[in-house]
Amino acid sequence: MNFELNEEQQMIRQAARDYAQRELIKDVIERDEKAIYPAEHIKKLSELGFLGMLVDPKYDGGGMDTVSYVLAIEEFSKVDSSIGVIISVNNSLVCYGIESFGTEEQKQKWLKPLARGEKIGAFLLSEPGAGSDATSQKTTAIDMGDYYLVNGVKNWITNGNSASTYIVIVQTHKEKGHKGINALLVDKYSPGITVGVHENKMGMRSSDTHSIQFTDVKVPKENRLGDDGFGFKFAMKTLEGGRIGIASQALGLASGAFELATKYAKERKAFGTEIINHQAIAFKLADMATEIEAARLLCLKAAWLKDKGLPFGNASAMAKLYAADTAMKVTTEAVQIHGGYGYVKEYHVERMMRDAKLTQIYEGTSEIQKIVISRAIANDDL
């Protein structure tokens, strides 16, 4: 594996860093406090090509590699991880799912507007009774001949209100268990869809999270992704790539908090010297730097494997597990290093600590990642 970034990768990282440090920083605290969706930022970032950066140019995407994607998500998440997850969901769950498993007609109709950023996508898997246990789908899609009739409730949906394109995981043949699940492309504005209230979350408050209710929603058969019964496998395959995005988001939270903590430690004086000269603080920073670098290497390895067309599911699970835990540890220590200042909003690290917790939960909890990894060990697949 070559650890040297090529010129294009460096340019993409710099473009993401410049936008984050110049633009996102201006209103990130206000958007967090008031739970404001970053519509104008998303519009500008779509114009820069970040909403469809992984999509083939023939479908109006950026044609960038996954390593570039990791670098961009890290830079955005250093300042605002809500931006990171919005971009991640659109790229690695929605666009990736359609491009990898959709028909040519579906790609022309659904993928192109998403890749251009003209539309935003959402991935509807979780339900009130089906979070980590994704096989327990209660949302049904009754086969009515040339269309499905969809009923049920999905919750914890990122981009739930801002998205206009939904990928909905549904149960069509209950008697077949996970082999009876399908994935459907659904227009948010179809009759019978109700978007619930915006969840009042602890962190990631600038991304919109909603429950979505379906009441006798008609979905044409042509909107099904893959063969009948492919939905569960579709969801699992898609989430493998999604974990790289969330791992990169966690990496950004950790590295952003580390940079702020280091800067503060070099400026703050106590007992006659800058606190970075005190071993108690210096050793915290040493541990933080080491864990961040390990997380970064795991993220880049998973991205590299994906770009090479090699199996990457276990690597992405490891990256998400370790990067999420690192984000939680590093942001907590960053607050500690800041002392009382770390507990107030203007120093940013308290927000990062709140945001970091979610990376251990969504798109597969840390416990689910351990199941994935341990099964690979048992089957000698590592």
Side-chain angles (χ1 to χ4, degrees):
M1 182 177 179
N2 185 358
F3 290 95
E4 185 178 3
L5 300 178
N6 61 40
E7 185 177 352
E8 181 182 9
Q9 291 165 342
Q10 292 180 52
M11 289 175 62
I12 292 166
R13 180 177 63 181
Q14 191 62 50
R17 180 180 297 168
D18 288 346
Y19 189 88
Q21 299 292 335
R22 185 181 68 248
E23 302 296 336
L24 293 183
I25 195 68
K26 293 178 182 177
D27 60 351
V28 63
I29 293 176
E30 180 184 12
R31 285 187 287 105
D32 172 73
E33 287 181 333
K34 298 179 181 178
I36 299 171
Y37 179 77
E40 286 302 313
H41 290 303
I42 293 301
K43 180 181 178 181
K44 292 176 182 176
L45 290 169
S46 69
E47 293 169 354
L48 293 171
F50 286 106
L51 272 295
M53 58 188 304
L54 297 175
V55 178
D56 192 304
K58 70 179 179 180
Y59 299 117
D60 298 339
M64 304 175 202
D65 63 8
T66 314
V67 170
S68 298
Y69 173 65
V70 168
L71 298 172
I73 295 294
E74 178 185 358
E75 292 301 327
F76 290 132
S77 300
K78 281 182 180 181
V79 176
D80 185 1
S81 57
S82 291
I83 292 286
V85 72
I86 293 167
I87 294 175
S88 176
V89 167
N90 200 70
N91 270 287
S92 59
L93 293 184
V94 183
C95 287
Y96 174 78
I98 300 172
E99 186 172 17
S100 298
F101 304 106
T103 64
E104 184 61 28
E105 291 75 13
Q106 289 170 341
K107 293 173 188 178
Q108 293 292 333
K109 178 180 178 179
W110 300 88
L111 179 58
K112 281 188 170 183
L114 290 163
R116 292 192 297 263
E118 295 172 2
K119 294 184 177 181
I120 301 294
F123 189 79
L124 284 65
L125 174 62
S126 294
E127 297 182 1
S132 293
D133 182 7
T135 62
S136 299
Q137 297 291 305
K138 294 293 189 290
T139 298
T140 58
I142 301 172
D143 190 337
M144 304 297 288
D146 59 350
Y147 68 92
Y148 292 105
L149 196 65
V150 179
N151 286 276
V153 177
K154 297 291 185 178
N155 66 346
W156 315 123
I157 306 304
T158 300
N159 299 343
N161 189 52
S162 58
S164 54
T165 299
Y166 291 161
I167 293 180
V168 188
I169 309 302
V170 295
Q171 181 65 261
T172 304
H173 309 286
K174 187 176 181 181
E175 70 281 2
K176 295 182 180 180
H178 73 278
K179 295 183 179 180
I181 292 173
N182 280 307
L184 305 178
L185 286 160
V186 182
D187 187 332
K188 171 196 172 184
Y189 301 104
S190 303
I193 293 179
T194 303
V195 178
V197 298
H198 183 221
E199 300 289 354
N200 188 13
K201 300 172 295 182
M202 177 174 76
M204 307 285 185
R205 290 175 53 79
S206 192
S207 74
D208 62 319
T209 304
H210 298 259
S211 61
I212 314 293
Q213 182 170 329
F214 298 85
T215 305
D216 291 336
V217 178
K218 291 183 179 180
V219 180
K221 271 278 185 69
E222 64 194 38
N223 289 15
R224 188 182 69 210
L225 286 158
D227 296 331
D228 190 20
F230 180 68
F232 181 74
K233 186 175 288 187
F234 168 87
M236 297 302 102
K237 289 290 185 182
T238 303
L239 285 169
E240 284 182 353
R243 287 169 186 146
I244 297 177
I246 301 306
S248 305
Q249 182 188 14
L251 172 63
L253 279 163
S255 57
F258 171 75
E259 288 176 5
L260 290 172
T262 302
K263 181 177 183 293
Y264 182 83
K266 289 180 178 180
E267 296 171 350
R268 174 71 171 180
K269 289 187 176 181
F271 304 103
T273 186
E274 292 78 9
I275 62 173
I276 197 170
N277 296 322
H278 296 299
Q279 191 177 84
I281 302 301
F283 279 15
K284 284 182 187 294
L285 293 169
D287 287 340
M288 292 157 75
T290 302
E291 291 175 350
I292 289 168
E293 188 62 17
R296 180 174 289 112
L297 292 173
L298 285 169
C299 289
L300 290 173
K301 180 184 178 183
W304 179 82
L305 288 169
K306 184 172 179 288
D307 286 336
K308 292 294 183 181
L310 299 170
F312 64 91
N314 297 325
S316 67
M318 287 182 172
K320 183 182 183 299
L321 173 65
Y322 191 82
D325 286 348
T326 297
M328 199 67 240
K329 292 176 185 176
V330 170
T331 55
T332 301
E333 288 287 43
V335 172
Q336 188 71 18
I337 289 170
H338 278 78
Y341 292 104
Y343 210 64
V344 297
K345 294 184 182 297
E346 66 180 286
Y347 284 80
H348 298 287
V349 289
E350 64 83 29
R351 182 186 73 256
M352 293 175 168
M353 185 175 72
R354 288 186 283 109
D355 287 355
K357 184 60 196 172
L358 191 54
T359 66
Q360 295 178 313
I361 298 172
Y362 64 179
E363 290 195 33
T365 63
S366 293
E367 290 75 17
I368 290 295
Q369 307 314 312
K370 290 179 181 179
I371 291 175
V372 172
I373 297 163
S374 62
R375 284 177 177 170
I377 294 170
N379 295 325
D380 295 322
D381 286 339
L382 286 182

